[in-house]
Amino acid sequence: MPASQSRARARDRSNVLNRAEFLSLNQPPKGTPEPRSSGRKASGPSVQPPPAGDGARERRQSQQLPEEDCMQLNPSFKGIAFNSLLAIDICMSKRLGVCAGRAASWGSARSMVKLIGITGHGIPWIGGTILCLAKSSTLAGQEVLMNLLLALLLDIMTVAGVQKLIKRRGPFETSPGLLDYLTMDVYAFPAGHASRAAMVSKFFLSHLVLAVPLRVLLVLWAFCVGLSRVMIGRHHITDVISGFIIGYFQFRLVELVWMSSNTCQMLISAW
């Protein structure tokens, strides 16, 4: 009996799998169930496996998530550039909104800045153009005023249509005024005051004989109107820039469809 035990120990020592570095090969894999012992229970704390329904429930919830909540691992270069420019636009617009409220840094100058913006509103310009048209007695003056009225109406319809299509809000929670509702200038993109100021200034520079100081003041006025809309927190910087661009193209369109003096006289007589 002792001889057989000594032979078994020698055989175990000669077995390579009994070494310390190969002990993991003798253990069963983790996925296989351990044999149940009928004699005694395990002394350690029992770990309960998670219910089988949790994994399926999480998978269903992940499938129900909207696409905008999913992370884009490989965004395109255009998307990165657009989002970066949009973030810069919002940040700079909020910094320039120094008159956005009474508690802002330039809150005491809010009334004056709003007054500058009103000079580019559509209602005063349309009313003033109609009044000057009624008082005008020359054919050349009536021709210029009728085309200016056409340009103003075109500007209001274009800005209102684009704003309804884009529906972009301003950088601050500022509600439009009564005059803004009358001209359907409710949203931020594009800035209607900026487009109107650019179109009117370009119109006057092309069809009126003005001295150089007046021409410079006219350009500065258009710029101040656009800047005032950013300062009161009504528009972003890109809204104003887009308004300037739209105003220029509106002027070019009016130049292409310019109404002659005979057409203007026919419209005035019919009116």
Side-chain angles (χ1 to χ4, degrees):
M1 191 71 181
S4 63
Q5 291 179 356
S6 62
R7 284 196 298 270
R9 292 196 201 98
R11 191 163 51 250
D12 291 339
R13 284 195 300 269
S14 63
N15 190 3
V16 179
L17 296 178
N18 288 330
R19 295 182 183 178
E21 58 268 23
F22 297 110
L23 286 178
S24 61
L25 298 177
N26 294 328
Q27 298 177 358
K30 295 181 180 180
T32 58
E34 296 181 356
R36 298 180 180 177
S37 59
S38 60
R40 57 183 179 180
K41 297 180 180 180
S43 61
S46 61
V47 179
Q48 297 180 357
D54 290 348
R57 191 182 304 112
E58 292 178 359
R59 286 194 297 270
R60 286 196 300 268
Q61 290 179 357
S62 63
Q63 292 175 359
Q64 293 175 359
L65 290 175
E67 295 182 358
E68 56 267 18
D69 291 342
C70 301
M71 181 182 296
Q72 296 182 0
L73 299 179
N74 295 317
S76 62
F77 176 76
K78 292 182 179 180
I80 295 175
F82 178 77
N83 292 331
S84 300
L85 292 176
L86 187 62
I88 294 173
D89 178 35
I90 295 174
C91 179
M92 294 299 296
S93 301
K94 285 184 176 291
R95 289 191 176 186
L96 287 176
V98 293
C99 302
R102 294 295 180 183
S105 57
W106 288 19
S108 58
R110 178 178 172 83
S111 300
M112 184 182 65
V113 175
K114 288 184 68 175
L115 183 61
I116 295 174
I118 290 175
T119 60
H121 203 278
I123 297 297
W125 275 103
I126 292 177
T129 304
I130 294 176
L131 181 61
C132 293
L133 186 61
K135 298 293 184 180
S136 179
S137 58
T138 61
L139 296 179
Q142 292 176 355
E143 179 182 352
V144 172
L145 289 172
M146 280 296 297
N147 285 277
L148 177 60
L149 182 61
L150 172 65
L152 292 171
L153 295 176
L154 175 65
D155 174 75
I156 289 177
M157 291 186 293
T158 302
V159 171
V162 177
Q163 285 187 359
K164 288 290 184 181
L165 182 64
I166 303 298
K167 293 184 178 180
R168 186 187 189 188
R169 297 291 182 180
F172 295 92
E173 295 295 332
T174 56
S175 59
L178 178 60
L179 294 178
D180 295 330
Y181 280 109
L182 292 177
T183 55
M184 297 174 290
D185 190 5
V186 179
Y187 296 99
F189 184 89
H193 292 66
S195 66
R196 198 168 301 111
M199 185 267 297
V200 169
S201 61
K202 182 63 178 174
F203 190 92
F204 285 170
L205 290 174
S206 300
H207 297 285
L208 296 182
V209 180
L210 300 173
V212 175
L214 290 178
R215 298 173 74 89
V216 174
L217 287 176
L218 196 59
V219 175
L220 288 177
W221 166 77
F223 175 77
C224 291
V225 168
L227 181 61
S228 67
R229 304 300 289 174
V230 180
M231 292 177 66
I232 65 173
R234 186 70 175 81
H235 295 280
H236 299 86
I237 297 176
T238 52
D239 301 335
V240 174
I241 295 175
S242 301
F244 286 153
I245 296 173
I246 290 175
Y248 174 77
F249 282 106
Q250 286 175 160
F251 165 76
R252 300 301 302 175
L253 180 60
V254 171
E255 290 291 309
L256 290 176
V257 296
W258 184 268
M259 292 185 297
S260 62
S261 179
N262 295 330
T263 305
C264 294
Q265 290 300 315
M266 183 180 62
L267 293 176
I268 291 173
S269 61
W271 177 46

